[in-house]
Amino acid sequence: MKKVILFISLSCILFASCGKKEKETLVDPSSGKQITMNVNRFEDIIFAQNQKDYKAYLQSNYEAYKPLFKTTLDNPPYFQMVEDFASDPVLISAYKLVKKRYPNLDWVSNGVTSAFANLLKEYPKTKIPKLYSMMFGPAEFSYSYASRVIAQKDFIAFSIDLYSINILPDYQKYAQFPKYMITILDSAYLVPDIMNTYLRNVTTYNVPLMEENPEASLCDIIVERGKYLYAVKQLLPDCSMSSIFRYTKEQMEWTEKSEYGIWGYIIQNNLLYSNDRTKYMHLITDGPTTKGINGSPSHLGDYIGYKIVEKYMKENKKSLKELLEIKDAKEILSKSGYKPKK
């Protein structure tokens, strides 16, 4: 399917998933004022109906939503693309369904605000970014999935239509998504996804990602992922483990009960320090299951990485900032004393 990317040219409901406790108080370091990271709903602007002068209407909102526009609206071909997008009957119908499902996004606002309040305790110089929702629309599904959350220093944007995919699969422009991907795009995973992406792309911007190193071993990647999953759990302490791992409750229970067997599979197949990604890729990718392990959910390596990091933090009492800045996965594994019980 041809990609139609009009905005941001960059590479069950959640209410019970992250608990119901009062959110942490967030004070903006730059102003000293208490704030809430409200969600600015770009999709409401784009799909505003019955505007006498649609271009003038968008222009009046341009500055408030500037990070999400690919270029200026004075560019005729670009404005025409935006107008075509906004007048597409399928997308209009999808927007109405999403809006009906989420008349407000306070649950996202509250979750992210609490997470940033906790993040500032570790990284007090963090600039509070603006928070936006948007409709991603038609694009090749793997690209859409990889781009579902965009995080930069000044803003975070997420595709609310993709986190509504389970009510949209019959729509032509969304029908391409595999069934397993529809499951892992549940709204319960949105806030943890936002924080995981922000930590990787902004908070630890200067820490090279081993995941992007073609020579990285399985140990390098799963411990790195474990660090971020552990950090998300610390920032969102009321969030369920299943929400953080993007598992169903049943999949999470299966994984927790199978920890010893998963570790044994990795060791017995000499995968832990393998640099051949083709041999261990099945342990770190999303899919219907983890190939070679019966009855399993996908990306089981992430869970082992998390447990290694969890054990390391119990044994070494490091701060979250110190943890995220450790580059040596072998050091974390060695000092963790990780050995799952049978």
Side-chain angles (χ1 to χ4, degrees), residues 54-124:
Y54 183 63
K55 185 174 183 180
Y57 170 75
L58 289 185
Q59 291 281 22
S60 69
N61 286 282
Y62 181 80
E63 286 302 320
Y65 293 88
K66 188 175 180 179
L68 303 191
F69 286 103
K70 185 177 179 180
T71 185
T72 68
L73 294 166
D74 292 328
N75 182 316
Y78 176 65
F79 173 71
Q80 187 61 55
M81 289 177 65
V82 175
E83 194 170 38
D84 290 346
F85 183 92
S87 60
D88 186 314
V90 174
L91 292 175
I92 291 172
S93 182
Y95 162 72
K96 289 179 178 178
L97 279 175
V98 172
K99 187 68 176 180
K100 183 177 180 181
R101 184 180 188 185
Y102 304 124
N104 70 72
L105 292 172
D106 291 349
W107 51 279
V108 179
S109 175
N110 292 340
V112 176
T113 297
S114 291
F116 268 83
N118 288 324
L119 181 62
L120 282 173
K121 297 171 186 176
E122 297 281 345
Y123 291 88

Side-chain angles (χ1 to χ4, degrees), residues 23-24 26 37 108-121 191-192 194-195 199 231-232 234-237:
K23 65 184 180 183
E24 297 279 346
L26 176 60
M37 295 176 68
V108 179
S109 175
N110 292 340
V112 176
T113 297
S114 291
F116 268 83
N118 288 324
L119 181 62
L120 282 173
K121 297 171 186 176
V191 174
I194 287 172
M195 294 313 301
L199 288 170
V232 171
Q234 302 310 300
L235 299 180
L236 295 166

